[in-house]
Amino acid sequence: MLSVSSLPVRKNLKTCVRHFTWAWYTIVMGTCVVASLVNRFHWGSGSEPNKVLTLVLFFCSLLCFVLISAASVARYIIFPELWSAMLRHPIQSLFISAMPMAGCSLINIALVAHQKYGFSNHSRAFLYALWAFWWLDVVISVVIAFGMLHVMMTKQKHSLEQLSCLAMLPVLPWIVASATGGLLATALPTQSTLTIAVSAILGIAGLSIAFMVITAYLLRLLLHGPPDTSLILASFIPLGPMGQGGFSLLLIAEYLSTRNVDLGPLISPSAVASVAFCLAWTLWSLGLFWLGMTLCMIYASVRQKRVPYSIGYWGMIFPTGVMALLTVEMGDLLKSAVIQYIGVTFSIGVALLWVFVVVKTIPAVWNTTAFNSPCATKLDEEKLSTACSTAVCMSTIPRISMGSGFS
């Protein structure tokens, strides 16, 4: 039986805001990718229950995005010293890239709601509003990528032994924005060529840098073994660039094969589309390999030590979800029943994982144990240590009696 002293102490609202992190945006990312899988589920697509569930998940994600953004702004207004502390932290700082990825995820579902469910009566204006938000997201993604890579090189200390999959987070928004741009390009009546060109640039650049990190991470695994239990769930992250990058390439291939695009006398659109499909197939195959290897690492880690709940659990959903989305798209494109059933299995697995994490998150939010920022905790410990040192120094100063100098 638990004693009263062993129960966790609930944090007040100000403390919760202080211990808020950018990783909370992964809730929006995970919920949006589940909404995409529900919308594209093999059975019941376009039905009323499918529509209702997709829209419910979308509005829940939108509400979470607004609340998380408000809490993040309030955190750095109330506690401005946390900004520099966050940038110096080699892990927490990387999750700032989750914000533009959450924004693109919302644009994806808003586009689905607009195209399939008549979300807006002013269709053209709403579509270009989404396009404008996408451009804003692209600018933010580029700034975060260059800014965080600069901070990682100049403000933080890294080693191969401590390298994790989180190191690729700064460039992952490029790949997510690339897929969103591909979806918008197929819906835009004009400016679609510019959108698909920017999407291709973002996707190729993001995939190139992501695979540099994956190569270094694989070397780290071979030399030093699997990561610690606290970072083992991050092993799913490489599925993100593989799944989302492959999905983006398929959208580019679909666009080039259905639109009359002039790429010049030396380049054939059909040839580029074929190359894009082959690259997407390669990424899907690599994703299956990495999924199997990650499950083996997590199984071995869980057998030795239980992985405690943290907001990092949500980091599993988006990478596996985009991998499932690529599988569904590949099955529909090839009209392959086998790949379609694999996509259905993936989709159900991701949905069950989402339910599991939600069930874990609700009580953690209620008792405030989910609000835990390592950089804020470290800053508090440094202040406490400084205060204690000052108190000790003051206590060692000899007291001088008032009459000692006049005797």
Side-chain angles (χ1 to χ4, degrees):
M1 188 174 181
L2 290 173
S3 63
V4 176
S5 60
S6 64
L7 294 175
V9 179
R10 288 178 59 88
K11 301 179 179 72
N12 56 36
L13 180 59
K14 188 174 182 180
T15 306
C16 289
V17 171
R18 181 177 177 82
H19 284 268
F20 213 79
T21 66
W22 295 99
W24 283 80
Y25 279 106
T26 56
I27 295 177
V28 179
M29 296 164 56
T31 306
C32 282
V33 78
V34 171
S36 296
L37 291 173
V38 169
N39 173 69
R40 302 190 60 141
F41 197 66
H42 189 66
W43 294 289
S45 179
S47 62
E48 193 65 23
N50 185 286
K51 171 185 175 181
V52 170
L53 184 55
T54 302
L55 292 179
V56 166
L57 290 173
F58 167 68
F59 284 113
C60 287
S61 302
L62 183 60
L63 177 62
C64 288
F65 185 86
V66 173
L67 293 177
I68 293 169
S69 299
S72 300
V73 172
R75 184 193 193 207
Y76 297 109
I77 291 177
I78 300 173
F79 309 103
E81 71 278 3
L82 287 177
W83 179 257
S84 59
M86 180 272 296
L87 290 179
R88 291 194 304 268
H89 198 281
I91 294 178
Q92 291 298 312
S93 60
L94 300 176
F95 281 99
I96 193 173
S97 61
M99 186 263 289
M101 287 192 283
C104 275
S105 301
L106 285 172
I107 294 174
N108 294 344
I109 307 302
L111 184 61
V112 169
H114 165 70
Q115 289 180 313
K116 287 192 174 183
Y117 308 136
F119 189 69
S120 172
N121 293 327
H122 305 284
S123 57
R124 193 180 183 89
F126 185 77
L127 192 60
Y128 277 101
L130 293 180
W131 189 57
F133 281 124
W134 176 75
W135 277 108
L136 176 62
D137 201 284
V138 168
V139 172
I140 294 174
S141 299
V142 171
V143 171
I144 287 177
F146 284 105
M148 280 312 306
L149 289 174
H150 175 74
V151 168
M152 291 171 69
M153 290 185 289
T154 59
K155 302 292 184 181
Q156 300 173 0
K157 294 182 179 180
H158 301 273
S159 65
L160 182 62
E161 186 176 359
Q162 296 175 342
L163 182 67
S164 70
C165 296
L166 297 172
M168 71 180 71
L169 282 179
V171 297
L172 289 190
W174 292 8
I175 306 174
V176 178
S178 173
T180 302
L183 291 172
L184 286 170
T186 57
L188 287 169
T190 59
Q191 305 297 331
S192 58
T193 304
L194 172 63
T195 305
I196 205 70
V198 174
S199 299
I201 294 172
L202 290 172
I204 293 172
L207 282 171
S208 300
I209 300 173
F211 271 93
M212 294 177 192
V213 179
I214 292 175
T215 303
Y217 181 65
L218 183 59
L219 177 62
R220 176 249 181 273
L221 291 177
L222 295 174
L223 295 179
H224 303 287
D228 296 335
T229 305
S230 59
L231 293 175
I232 191 65
L233 297 182
S235 301
F236 280 106
I237 290 180
L239 295 177
M242 295 174 189
Q244 195 76 317
F247 185 72
S248 176
L249 288 169
L250 287 183
L251 292 174
I252 293 173
E254 180 183 357
Y255 177 87
L256 293 176
S257 59
T258 56
R259 301 286 185 99
N260 186 18
V261 183
D262 184 11
L263 298 179
L266 300 179
I267 305 176
S268 168
S270 59
V272 175
S274 300
V275 171
F277 172 79
C278 292
L279 292 175
W281 182 269
T282 302
L283 291 174
W284 183 66
S285 305
L286 288 173
L288 294 178
F289 159 75
W290 197 268
L291 177 62
M293 193 171 71
T294 300
L295 292 175
C296 291
M297 287 193 298
I298 291 178
Y299 175 73
S301 178
V302 170
R303 288 188 61 184
Q304 297 177 1
K305 184 179 179 182
R306 179 176 170 270
V307 182
Y309 172 79
S310 67
I311 201 67
Y313 269 48
W314 282 94
M316 299 185 294
I317 300 176
F318 186 78
T320 53
V322 294
M323 186 65 193
L325 202 59
L326 173 59
T327 307
V328 171
E329 182 73 15
M330 194 75 73
D332 292 343
L333 185 64
L334 297 177
K335 302 294 189 293
S336 170
V338 175
I339 299 179
Q340 286 176 343
Y341 280 115
I342 294 175
V344 168
T345 305
F346 275 175
S347 300
I348 294 174
V350 173
L352 293 176
L353 178 62
W354 180 84
V355 172
F356 169 76
V357 177
V358 168
V359 171
K360 285 280 190 179
T361 302
I362 292 174
V365 172
W366 177 254
N367 60 30
T368 68
T369 56
F371 300 95
N372 182 27
S373 170
C375 57
T377 302
K378 183 178 179 181
L379 197 62
D380 293 339
E381 291 174 350
E382 290 175 355
K383 289 182 178 179
L384 181 61
S385 176
T386 303
C388 291
S389 300
T390 304
V392 170
C393 292
M394 292 296 295
S395 65
T396 58
I397 297 176
R399 296 178 179 270
I400 302 175
S401 61
M402 293 297 295
S404 60
F406 302 93
S407 56

